[in-house]
Amino acid sequence: MTPAAERVLEVAGKLFYDNGIHAVGVEAIASEAGVTKKTLYDRFGSKDALIAHYLRRRDERWREHVIRVVEQRGRIAPARRLLLVFDALEQWIAEENPRGCAFVNAHAELPDAAHPGRDVIREQKQWLLEYLRTLAREVGVRNPRKLATSLLVLIEGANVTSTLGVVPGAVGNAKEVAKQLIESS
Amino acid sequence: MTPAAERVLEVAGKLFYDNGIHAVGVEAIASEAGVTKKTLYDRFGSKDALIAHYLRRRDERWREHVIRVVEQRGRIAPARRLLLVFDALEQWIAEENPRGCAFVNAHAELPDAAHPGRDVIREQKQWLLEYLRTLAREVGVRNPRKLATSLLVLIEGANVTSTLGVVPGAVGNAKEVAKQLIESS
DNA sequence: CTTCGAGTAAACCGACCGGTATGGTTACTA
DNA sequence: TAGTAACCATACCGGTCGGTTTACTCGAAG
């Protein structure tokens, strides 16, 4: 990844997320990054490929963030560690996610299932589900898969509702429900 | 609402939802509806106003659907009636919602808070929250507002996750969680 | 019998879209 | 020192965007 490509990706991440993918032209990205369109196309090949790169990069940051928050403290009960995912979400929303889940938003703008970005979207959700499942297994519940599914639903729901601004304390509420859910599993 | 305007609105509803708002031009809507652009602009004034009309119309259909499913059966326990909202969602997804919540999707494409469509989006979520609160109050739980919030989170989460295709039985799962939540409230 | 709203048809506007082409410059490296 | 990768600058391509304008037709209501 060349320095120019890095700048393009960074700018694209900001513009795509803030304004929506279709609303942003490659010309705007190039000029904002201090790069010519030629360079942009030399590095990424097409806008669609750039979109996929943008999503991949954001997914990487999200995963790192979750893992950092969940695994920062050394000794902690597995059930509490599972709940830390909700704290990670709350921080993520406050710091990087004012316009909602970038992957849900991208999915709304990419109806073509063959779009290269669609794979990234699917993988992002799949990873979170698997991660939750792993944590749930460590808790020792009867049905880790089912619990992980429920928690994913709560997380996605909290993300959407808190973004839409209808319910301010959506993440905290979801965390409470999750706690109750874990205890009764 | 003139017949031509009606056709425009119907076509716009389909194209906007299936392809995303920005991806559809007014020219495509007009020609698909068998109408000239002049007629479209005489009736709706602007694309932004048409977007708001599209969302409003879809919200109306959604509310009618929910109310029909929830209130179809005469005598039924309030707790069971509350759970019928999840059945309504499942039907809605199967019949009209393969690409996820139109309002969440629209929110992703309309970053400008002053856009006329944003009001409709907010009102759609607000209505559902109020409706859930009313049903929760009839159940007689201690904190209807809190329960309604939790249910909204579950509904939005189930809608998103089942759309993204990561979890097939997301709505059923959410309903189970909701049942447990109601019983322990 | 006339007025008027609703509609068609078609051209037009400036702006922007994603993408390409040509050509030149810098800096590192084999 | 020759080659090459990375970059800049500019101009261009066909096509589409949202939106406007002019001119005309038609049917129904006053």
Side-chain angles (χ1 to χ4, degrees):
Chain A
M1 188 78 69
T2 66
E6 198 66 48
R7 258 149 47 215
V8 167
L9 201 48
E10 189 179 339
V11 167
K14 179 169 167 43
L15 294 183
F16 280 154
Y17 181 74
D18 289 344
N19 305 102
I21 292 173
H22 280 329
V24 177
V26 289
E27 194 117 32
I29 295 171
S31 85
E32 182 88 5
V35 156
T36 59
K37 278 208 288 181
K38 172 108 174 22
T39 300
L40 188 152
Y41 274 91
D42 284 347
R43 295 298 130 241
F44 297 97
S46 69
K47 186 185 182 181
D48 287 334
L50 178 59
I51 292 168
H53 272 92
Y54 145 64
L55 291 170
R56 187 79 66 185
R57 169 66 62 98
R58 195 175 175 96
D59 187 18
E60 284 167 13
R61 288 202 299 128
W62 158 252
R63 294 187 194 191
E64 283 166 13
H65 172 79
V66 172
I67 290 171
R68 185 172 1 100
V69 171
V70 171
E71 295 170 14
Q72 59 179 349
R73 317 189 196 175
R75 291 242 170 249
I76 188 173
R80 292 181 69 89
R81 191 158 63 231
L82 189 42
L83 285 172
L84 281 177
V85 177
F86 289 85
D87 296 337
L89 175 64
E90 192 146 40
Q91 281 180 34
W92 180 259
I93 289 175
E95 293 165 15
E96 318 237 26
N97 220 45
R99 283 208 355 103
C101 176
F103 304 90
V104 172
N105 292 357
H107 186 271
E109 293 204 73
L110 306 177
D112 179 11
H115 192 287
R118 289 286 292 265
D119 291 331
V120 189
I121 296 170
R122 193 173 21 78
E123 286 164 17
Q124 193 259 348
K125 299 304 173 198
Q126 196 67 48
W127 175 83
L128 184 57
L129 181 63
E130 287 302 321
Y131 188 66
L132 291 168
R133 206 174 153 194
T134 302
L135 292 177
R137 214 177 286 120
E138 289 170 9
V139 175
V141 298
R142 263 170 297 165
N143 195 337
R145 182 183 201 89
K146 190 172 176 183
L147 177 59
T149 301
S150 301
L151 293 180
L152 182 67
V153 169
L154 282 169
I155 287 167
E156 295 299 329
N159 202 346
V160 167
T161 51
S162 76
T163 297
L164 275 280
V166 193
V167 184
V171 180
N173 191 301
K175 187 180 176 184
E176 278 186 49
V177 175
K179 190 178 176 188
Q180 188 176 332
L181 214 57
I182 294 168
E183 288 168 358
S184 68
S185 284
Chain B
M1 189 79 70
T2 66
E6 197 67 48
R7 259 150 45 217
V8 167
L9 202 48
E10 190 179 338
V11 167
K14 181 171 165 43
L15 294 183
F16 280 154
Y17 182 74
D18 289 344
N19 305 102
I21 291 173
H22 280 328
V24 177
V26 289
E27 194 118 31
I29 295 170
S31 83
E32 183 88 5
V35 156
T36 58
K37 280 208 286 179
K38 169 123 181 357
T39 300
L40 188 152
Y41 274 91
D42 284 348
R43 296 298 129 240
F44 296 98
S46 69
K47 185 186 183 182
D48 286 335
L50 178 59
I51 292 167
H53 272 94
Y54 145 65
L55 291 170
R56 186 78 67 184
R57 170 66 61 97
R58 194 173 175 97
D59 187 19
E60 284 167 12
R61 289 203 297 129
W62 157 252
R63 295 187 193 191
E64 283 166 13
H65 172 79
V66 172
I67 290 172
R68 189 176 354 103
V69 172
V70 172
E71 295 170 14
Q72 60 178 349
R73 315 190 195 175
R75 292 240 170 252
I76 188 172
R80 291 182 68 90
R81 192 158 63 231
L82 190 42
L83 286 173
L84 281 176
V85 177
F86 288 85
D87 296 338
L89 175 64
E90 192 146 41
Q91 281 180 37
W92 180 259
I93 289 175
E95 293 165 14
E96 319 237 26
N97 221 45
R99 283 211 350 105
C101 176
F103 304 90
V104 172
N105 291 358
H107 186 271
E109 294 204 72
L110 307 176
D112 179 10
H115 192 286
R118 289 286 292 265
D119 291 331
V120 189
I121 296 171
R122 193 171 21 78
E123 286 165 17
Q124 193 258 351
K125 298 305 174 200
Q126 196 67 48
W127 175 84
L128 184 56
L129 181 62
E130 287 301 319
Y131 188 67
L132 290 168
R133 208 174 151 194
T134 302
L135 293 176
R137 215 177 286 120
E138 288 170 10
V139 176
V141 298
R142 264 170 297 165
N143 194 338
R145 182 182 202 89
K146 190 173 175 182
L147 176 59
T149 301
S150 301
L151 293 179
L152 183 66
V153 169
L154 283 169
I155 287 167
E156 296 299 328
N159 202 346
V160 167
T161 51
S162 76
T163 297
L164 276 280
V166 192
V167 186
V171 180
N173 192 300
K175 187 180 176 183
E176 277 186 49
V177 176
K179 190 178 174 184
Q180 189 176 330
L181 213 57
I182 294 168
E183 287 168 356
S184 67
S185 286

